[in-house]
Amino acid sequence: MGRPSRALLSREIIAAAALDLVDRDGPGALTMRALADRLGVKAASLYNHVAGKDELLDALAELVNAEIDLTPLDDPDRRAGLAAYARGYRAVFLRHPHTIALLARRRVEAGRQLLTYDALLAALVRAGLDPADAAETAAALDYLVLGSALETFTAGFARDAADYRPGYPALADALEASAARGPGLDDRGFELALRLLLARV
């Protein structure tokens, strides 16, 4: 008997295909049938590896969170390490923004997710926060990172700044002044919020 022409299915292969599908077509495209079509198998074959949509999303969360680099959390310069971690965390979800809608309001069950939160909270406690303050800071960091990855401030203002001036002069002034600093308002806004957040650490 010859070798199979494609790799056998596994939880990891299914999760990777799900991530590709979501990245390409958005969160609404992720169905077991669409995933099976992408993999060239019958939908029933998927259930030998993931029990259903919930388990599939856990596998997807595991895969995405595995991209987050935790090593900056061990930096002896705690604030610099936390800032580097936050930037890396944001970069992951800027690469996979469609996953936010699928993962942000779900329970945290994937092992890599739990490891990530545990490492972050341990780093915040080492930086001098008590556990309750560490939890609030971790929550605030989540809001900042995921919100900034999901929303772009600048894309909301598609017109030239001067077009806003008759009715919204403060908005026009702000957009013009920001443009004079060069591109990257979204990144500068994230960095400002991150500095303010880490000032308590």
Side-chain angles (χ1 to χ4, degrees), residues 5-70:
S5 59
R6 59 175 172 263
L8 297 176
L9 286 181
S10 69
R11 181 183 169 96
E12 293 74 22
I13 289 170
I14 291 168
L19 182 58
D20 287 343
L21 182 61
V22 171
D23 283 345
R24 188 190 68 188
D25 297 331
L30 184 59
T31 65
M32 299 302 269
R33 181 182 298 277
L35 185 55
D37 288 346
R38 186 172 184 83
L39 288 164
V41 299
K42 300 288 187 184
S45 301
L46 302 179
Y47 292 98
N48 294 321
H49 305 278
V50 290
K53 187 75 173 283
D54 276 345
E55 192 172 318
L56 173 62
L57 291 177
D58 285 342
L60 183 63
E62 189 81 26
L63 191 61
V64 173
N65 279 267
E67 295 186 27
I68 301 172
D69 184 6
L70 303 182

Side-chain angles (χ1 to χ4, degrees), residues 59-125:
L60 183 63
E62 189 81 26
L63 191 61
V64 173
N65 279 267
E67 295 186 27
I68 301 172
D69 184 6
L70 303 182
T71 57
L73 295 175
D74 294 324
D75 192 324
D77 183 339
R78 299 297 182 207
R79 191 172 291 176
L82 287 162
Y85 161 80
R87 293 182 190 113
Y89 180 8
R90 179 175 182 245
V92 169
F93 281 96
L94 285 172
R95 287 195 297 273
H96 307 297
H98 293 312
T99 65
I100 297 173
L102 293 171
L103 303 179
R105 290 189 174 270
R106 294 190 78 247
R107 72 202 189 289
V108 176
E109 289 290 345
R112 181 60 192 227
Q113 281 182 298
L114 293 168
L115 175 65
T116 297
Y117 282 112
D118 189 69
L120 173 59
L121 290 163
L124 290 168
V125 169

